[in-house]
C-alpha cells in the first residue's frame, strides 16, 4: 500500500493569515499522463469529508480560490491564502493512483 | 444534486455481521462513470477505504481493501437504487464510523458522501 504522511499534526492559525499543510507519499503519484493522483479533503466538525482539490492542484466546484494545491511526485502542499473561521477542521490528503486508496493521518486546523 | 442516505444498526455483536445500506438519489447505481464505495474512520486506523462496486462493460465489478478482503461483500440493488456493505466476523477493532461515497472514475475523486453511521462492535 502507498503510505501517506502529513505534517504538521496540528496547525493553530490566525484568521487572515496564510496556512500550509504538507503531504508526502511513499511512492510517486505522478502518472505517465502527467497527472498527479492526489486529492485533498476537509472534514469539518461533525461532518463527512468534503473534496477540496483533485489531481494535485484542481479545485473542486464551489471551493473558494483561497485554497490551492501544489507539488508533484511524492511531495505535495495545500495552502490557504487567508484563513477564515469556517476553514477549521481536519485536512486529509489521499492518493488515487491505485487501490487501496490511502489517506494521510490528517492535520487539525484550529483558530 | 446527488444524495446518499445511510441506514443500518449501530451496535453489532462480536463474530456477527455489520450490514449497512446506502440509498442513492440523483444518480443511478448502474451509472457507467462512477463507483460506489465504503470507507470507515476510527481513532486507531484513521480513514480507511474498504471497497467499491461499479457497473462497467455490462457487468458488476468489485474491488476490496486487503485489510478486510475475505470478510467484506459490497452489493448493488438496481431495483432500489442502493448499495450495501456486509462485513463478516467482526471484532471490536471494526468499531468505526462507516461512510458510503461516490467515486468519479475519470476525475478520480470522492465527490458525494453519506452522513456516516457509527457502528460499535460489543457484546
Amino acid at each position: 500500500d502507498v503510505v501517506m504522511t502529513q505534517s504538521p499534526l496540528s496547525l493553530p492559525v490566525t484568521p487572515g493569515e496564510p496556512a500550509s499543510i504538507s503531504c508526502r507519499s511513499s511512492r510517486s503519484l505522478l502518472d505517465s499522463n502527467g497527472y498527479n493522483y492526489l486529492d485533498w479533503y476537509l472534514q469539518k466538525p461533525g461532518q463527512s469529508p468534503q473534496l477540496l482539490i483533485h489531481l494535485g492542484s484542481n479545485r473542486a466546484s464551489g471551493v473558494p480560490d483561497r485554497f490551492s494545491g501544489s507539488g508533484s511526485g511524492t511531495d505535495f502542499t495545500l495552502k490557504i491564502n487567508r484563513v477564515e473561521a469556517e476553514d477549521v477542521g481536519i485536512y486529509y490528503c489521499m492518493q488515487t493512483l491505485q487501490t487501496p486508496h490511502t489517506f494521510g493521518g490528517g492535520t487539525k486546523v484550529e483558530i | 444534486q446527488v444524495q446518499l442516505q445511510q441506514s443500518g444498526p449501530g451496535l453489532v455483536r462480536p463474530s456477527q455481521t455489520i450490514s449497512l445500506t446506502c440509498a442513492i438519489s440523483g444518480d443511478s447505481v448502474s451509472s457507467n462513470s462512477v463507483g460506489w464505495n465504503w470507507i470507515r474512520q476510527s481513532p486507531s486506523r484513521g480513514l480507511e477505504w474498504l471497497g467499491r462496486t461499479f457497473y462497467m462493460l455490462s457487468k458488476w465489478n468489485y474491488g476490496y481493501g486487503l485489510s478486510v478482503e475475505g470478510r467484506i461483500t459490497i452489493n448493488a440493488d438496481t431495483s432500489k437504487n442502493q448499495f450495501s456493505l456486509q462485513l463478516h466476523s467482526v471484532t471490536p477493532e471494526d468499531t468505526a464510523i462507516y461512510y458510503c461515497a461516490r467515486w468519479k472514475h475519470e476525475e478520480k475523486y470522492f465527490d458525494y458522501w453519506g452522513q456516516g453511521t457509527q457502528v460499535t462492535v460489543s457484546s
Side-chain angles (χ1 to χ4, degrees):
Chain A
D1 295 2
V2 180
V3 178
M4 306 298 293
T5 304
Q6 286 182 237
S7 62
L9 207 62
S10 176
L11 183 60
V13 297
T14 301
E17 295 296 308
S20 179
I21 299 169
S22 175
C23 175
R24 181 165 290 178
S25 60
S26 62
R27 64 159 286 186
S28 176
L29 303 182
L30 177 63
D31 198 20
S32 56
N33 59 14
Y35 289 114
N36 282 286
Y37 286 97
L38 188 283
D39 294 347
W40 288 96
Y41 294 84
L42 164 61
Q43 187 172 31
K44 294 184 177 182
Q47 296 185 17
S48 305
Q50 60 188 76
L51 177 68
L52 293 177
I53 302 284
H54 64 101
L55 295 177
S57 59
N58 296 314
R59 263 191 313 276
S61 175
V63 173
D65 61 8
R66 64 180 181 272
F67 291 94
S68 64
S70 63
S72 184
T74 61
D75 290 285
F76 299 89
T77 302
L78 176 71
K79 291 182 180 176
I80 310 174
N81 197 8
R82 287 180 301 276
V83 174
E84 297 191 5
E86 66 181 23
D87 299 337
V88 298
I90 305 176
Y91 290 77
Y92 296 95
C93 59
M94 184 193 84
Q95 64 83 16
T96 60
L97 182 68
Q98 64 185 49
T99 55
H101 302 305
T102 44
F103 295 83
T107 296
K108 187 173 186 179
V109 170
E110 47 198 352
I111 302 289
Chain B
Q1 178 78 348
V2 175
Q3 292 189 336
L4 303 178
Q5 182 65 42
Q6 297 178 220
S7 59
L11 178 64
V12 178
R13 305 301 182 196
S15 80
Q16 301 298 305
T17 297
I18 291 173
S19 295
L20 299 174
T21 298
C22 185
I24 303 163
S25 58
D27 197 358
S28 169
V29 72
S30 53
S31 170
N32 282 315
S33 61
V34 300
W36 305 99
N37 300 256
W38 288 97
I39 296 161
R40 68 182 178 183
Q41 183 175 32
S42 65
S44 59
R45 293 173 171 266
L47 282 164
E48 181 183 17
W49 177 81
L50 299 178
R52 86 163 54 106
T53 186
F54 57 98
Y55 191 71
M56 191 172 286
L57 301 176
S58 302
K59 65 171 185 167
W60 288 97
N61 299 268
Y62 305 90
Y64 299 124
L66 290 176
S67 64
V68 293
E69 199 162 32
R71 294 197 296 135
I72 186 172
T73 305
I74 296 177
N75 281 321
D77 185 340
T78 56
S79 66
K80 295 181 179 179
N81 203 33
Q82 63 186 32
F83 64 108
S84 63
L85 166 72
Q86 289 193 311
L87 187 63
H88 309 282
S89 306
V90 297
T91 71
E93 286 219 339
D94 294 308
T95 295
I97 299 173
Y98 286 76
Y99 295 99
C100 59
R102 188 180 82 162
W103 167 258
K104 294 282 282 183
H105 287 310
E106 186 171 341
E107 298 87 340
K108 296 199 181 294
Y109 53 65
F110 297 113
D111 58 352
Y112 291 99
W113 295 64
Q115 78 275 23
T117 301
Q118 171 68 55
V119 178
T120 301
V121 179
S122 174
S123 54

